[in-house]
Amino acid sequence: MQNRIKELRQAKGLSLRDMSEKINMSYITISQYERGKREPKLETWQKLADFFGVSVPYLQGYVDEYIEINDLNDKEQEAYERITDMLSQEYPQTRPEFNWSKIGQLLINSDITEE
């Protein structure tokens, strides 16, 4: 499965060097991420997703639905930020042991609002 880093970078009209300057990351590292030669840590996925304004699963290529953080209301954005902060702190180096798309899909399919 191919991530969408290069696709989104090119859609913004950015070269590797332009992007590296904007996010303070080596252009070689970004290139390796784009080609799947290196796997970002969860907090790096989040940094890249925030830069592009997309979800981490969308950036990783796990989901096809494009939802921007701005599509969420204030309470949803707060919940999203709290969840991603908690996950990056509690499980900082779990890839590839964890399949985050499975966990996300399970959350989507569950009704956590039931008492």
Side-chain angles (χ1 to χ4, degrees):
M1 181 174 314
Q2 182 71 24
N3 69 56
R4 293 185 169 96
I5 298 171
K6 183 176 183 177
E7 170 189 335
L8 293 170
R9 175 179 59 77
Q10 290 177 334
K12 282 186 167 257
L14 297 172
S15 70
L16 281 167
R17 288 189 190 271
D18 293 337
M19 184 174 161
S20 75
E21 290 173 10
K22 288 185 179 289
I23 64 171
N24 196 28
M25 185 181 297
S26 159
Y27 74 91
I28 294 170
T29 300
I30 297 169
S31 175
Q32 290 173 332
Y33 291 159
E34 288 182 349
R35 294 179 289 129
K37 300 292 183 190
R38 186 171 171 185
E39 183 71 15
K41 294 179 184 176
L42 182 58
E43 56 268 16
T44 303
W45 278 119
Q46 189 62 59
K47 178 181 180 177
L48 292 168
D50 291 346
F51 175 75
F52 289 119
V54 300
S55 69
V56 171
Y58 181 81
L59 182 62
Q60 291 171 324
Y62 290 131
V63 296
D64 291 329
E65 185 178 4
Y66 182 77
I67 299 174
E68 293 187 9
I69 189 85
N70 298 331
D71 293 335
L72 304 176
N73 65 38
D74 290 342
K75 289 192 180 278
E76 291 168 335
Q77 284 185 24
E78 180 184 346
Y80 172 78
E81 289 168 5
R82 289 178 68 193
I83 290 167
T84 54
D85 286 347
M86 185 273 306
L87 289 174
S88 65
Q89 290 173 14
E90 294 291 322
Y91 304 98
Q93 300 194 13
T94 56
R95 294 198 56 86
E97 295 87 17
F98 274 50
N99 185 329
W100 290 108
S101 64
K102 283 183 185 177
I103 294 169
Q105 191 61 49
L106 182 61
L107 288 170
I108 290 167
N109 293 336
S110 68
D111 187 355
I112 59 173
T113 60
E114 288 182 8
E115 294 182 20

